[in-house]
């Protein structure tokens, strides 16, 4: 019988270890606290390695990976694993994102109560021999409006528990369908601003992405009710810490409960000086049950992967792209970028994604059909789903788990094949239907092996999908483009390229390639140009 060897470099719950040992062909070695140098010497002797945050898997550790096939993280975050290098070496990287859902949920509820009733401060006061009841006047949660930003696993569980407190629940999540919110008894709002204006308590449950970083600044705080309570047990950086400090100091924010910080540990952080800030040291997953959950999940996945069975929480997928012919690898990259463009320009919640392969280059016999299971998708569809979802979610979205994310959100996935499309051959067409729009973007690869986007809805273009773009749609009239150029020039933003498409007398769209990011203040000026219909900053 072939034996597999698994190395565990950080402490994990015994329940996870038992699952590994119960498989008679798996040997387990535990080396918590192993040094980087020692790990480098022996890592190639193992088929799989299980880590937590205490072990950093760097590129130099993977230079000579030997027989290593799997890196498992007993938890959610993978900041300590060089996923790119692992992928290039054909090593599966997996985590356990659902194991500590309830731990994070219950911490959120505890932090909410702590902030509303000032429980930690009252505890310290009494321990110090004081009896000052007036100092700790709190706020009841009953009949208050709770705003949940991010209605995923944790946000949904918070909603269920908050309802038992008699709270009214509203949520903002652009990727959750209203039917899911309704099943939870939650009112789903279309705009974050609407949530900010009506909520008495606001809690955040989103990953930290470019879109969510500094999601809450002074501008957003000013929209909130006076005396609002803020809770963040998700990721540091979602709330601007300087602006939160000012709002807590002024009393605009009654109190805040924070488990996560931009820099951890938060040394010399002035927020810690405030009496109306209640904090914990990033302990969202720190329960016995939560640690048991992540250990069991990662152990079960590793056993399945070593035995050639299915597993769903991998964050990369070895060989998917490299197994394609070289010319099709360029199309693979292209459809992922096309879908990212769609995600950054389409409005509404997605109902359907369709990928159409056009031309003889794509020889697989894929008839138009809708699949019930994610495992049936061909590579271009998987790349498209991943590209579209990771723009907003970035919740460890990978080629493996992207179809599951789509299925969870009830996004219908369709594949089709055609001989020609709008007189084009060898084309990839991405379509997305939302509750508000229907967007079609298509691209091809030219003779110089360069991928190009050539169709955007009814407009014909020629865009190399690389870098940062200012995308805008406007009424086709003189002067609009000139005003855009003037605003960019006045703000020292260099234009590297410009692609315009128009329908004479109707609408026009433009993609302006720029050398650096455009601040929100500049985008606001462009949006105010007469005749401007839509403005977005697009990253490809």
């Amino acid at each position: 019988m072939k034996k597999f060897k698994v190395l565990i470099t950080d402490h994990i719950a015994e329940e996870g270890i038992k699952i590994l040992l119960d498989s008679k062909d798996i040997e387990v070695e535990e080396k918590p606290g192993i040094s980087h140098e020692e790990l480098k010497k022996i890592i190639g002797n193992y088929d799989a390695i299980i880590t937590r945050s205490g072990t950093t898997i760097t590129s130099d550790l993977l230079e000579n990976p030997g027989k290593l096939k799997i890196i498992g993280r007993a938890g959610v975050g993978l900041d300590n694993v060089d996923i790119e290098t692992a992928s290039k070496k054909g090593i599966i990287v997996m985590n356990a994102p659902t194991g500590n859902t309830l731990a994070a949920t219950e911490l959120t509820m505890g932090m909410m109560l702590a902030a509303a009733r000032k429980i930690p401060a009252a505890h310290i006061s009494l321990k110090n021999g004081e009896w000052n009841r007036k100092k700790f006047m709190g706020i009841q949660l009953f009949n208050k409006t709770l705003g949940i930003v991010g209605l995923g696993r944790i946000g949904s569980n918070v909603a269920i528990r908050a309802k038992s407190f008699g709270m009214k629940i509203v949520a903002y999540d652009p990727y959750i369908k209203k039917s899911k919110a309704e099943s939870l008894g939650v009112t789903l709002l279309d705009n974050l601003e609407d949530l900010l204006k009506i909520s008495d308590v606001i809690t955040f449950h989103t990953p930290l992405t470019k879109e969510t970083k500094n999601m809450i600044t002074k501008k957003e705080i000013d929209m909130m009710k006076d005396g609002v309570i803020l809770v963040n047990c998700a990721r540091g950086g979602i709330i601007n810490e300087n602006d939160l400090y000012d709002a807590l100091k002024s009393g605009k924010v009654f109190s805040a409960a924070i488990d996560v910080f931009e820099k951890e540990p938060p040394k010399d952080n002035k927020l810690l000086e405030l009496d109306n800030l209640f904090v914990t040291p990033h302990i969202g997953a720190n329960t016995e049950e939560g640690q048991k959950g992540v250990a069991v999940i990662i152990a079960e996945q590793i056993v399945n992967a070593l035995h050639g069975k299915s597993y769903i929480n991998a964050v990369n997928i070895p060989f998917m792209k490299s197994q394609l012919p070289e010319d099709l690898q360029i199309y693979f990259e292209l459809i992922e970028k096309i879908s990212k463009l769609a995600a950054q320009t389409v409005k509404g919640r997605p109902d359907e994604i369709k990928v159409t392969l056009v031309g003889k280059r794509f020889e697989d016999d894929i008839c138009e059909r809708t699949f019930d299971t994610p495992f049936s998708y061909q590579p271009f569809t998987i790349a498209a789903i991943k590209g579209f979802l990771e723009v907003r979610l970035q919740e460890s979205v990978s080629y493996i788990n992207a179809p599951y994310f789509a299925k969870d959100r009830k996004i219908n996935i369709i594949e089709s094949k055609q001989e020609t499309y709008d007189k084009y051959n060898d084309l990839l067409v991405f379509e997305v239907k939302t509750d508000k729009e229907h967007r079609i973007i298509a691209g091809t690869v030219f003779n110089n092996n360069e991928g190009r986007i050539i169709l955007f809805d009814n407009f014909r273009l020629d865009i190399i999908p690389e870098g940062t773009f200012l995308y805008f749609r406007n009424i086709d009239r003189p002067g609009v483009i000139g005003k855009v150029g003037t605003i960019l020039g006045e703000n020292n933003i260099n234009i590297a390229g410009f692609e315009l498409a128009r329908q004479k007398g109707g609408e026009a769209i433009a993609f302006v390639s720029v050398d650096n990011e455009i601040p929100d203040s500049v985008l606001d000026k462009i949006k105010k140009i007469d005749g401007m219909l839509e403005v977005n900053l697009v990253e490809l």
Side-chain angles (χ1 to χ4, degrees), residues 91-195:
I91 299 168
I92 302 166
V93 180
M94 54 176 63
N95 63 351
T98 61
N100 51 29
T101 295
L102 293 180
T105 299
E106 292 181 2
L107 179 67
T108 299
M109 299 306 299
M111 295 290 271
M112 194 184 305
L113 287 165
R117 298 302 303 271
K118 305 181 181 179
I119 296 170
H123 169 84
I124 293 172
S125 173
L126 186 57
K127 284 274 192 174
N128 289 336
E130 301 172 355
W131 187 263
N132 191 348
R133 297 172 65 196
K134 290 184 179 179
K135 183 179 179 181
F136 303 110
M137 185 64 65
I139 294 174
Q140 283 188 179
L141 297 181
F142 175 73
N143 217 27
K144 296 296 192 298
T145 298
L146 173 65
I148 300 176
V149 181
L151 200 61
R153 292 187 304 271
I154 298 171
S156 296
N157 276 283
V158 169
I160 292 168
R161 285 151 182 78
K163 284 181 69 66
S164 69
F165 282 78
M167 301 187 80
K168 302 170 185 175
I169 318 294
V170 298
Y172 170 71
D173 190 322
Y175 269 56
I176 294 294
K177 289 191 175 182
K178 291 189 176 180
S179 58
K180 177 182 177 179
E182 289 168 358
S183 70
L184 293 168
V186 174
T187 300
L188 193 63
L189 303 176
D190 290 330
N191 300 296
L192 176 62
E193 291 79 5
D194 293 340
L195 180 145

Side-chain angles (χ1 to χ4, degrees), residues 10 66 90 116 145 169 185 190 200 218 242 296 302 323 328-329 422 433 472 487 503:
D10 296 289
T145 298
I169 318 294
D190 290 330
D200 300 294
K218 182 180 185 302
N242 288 325
V296 167
I302 285 178
Q323 282 185 338
L328 292 184
Q329 290 184 32
D422 195 25
K433 292 180 181 178
F472 62 88
I487 292 172
Q503 297 163 344

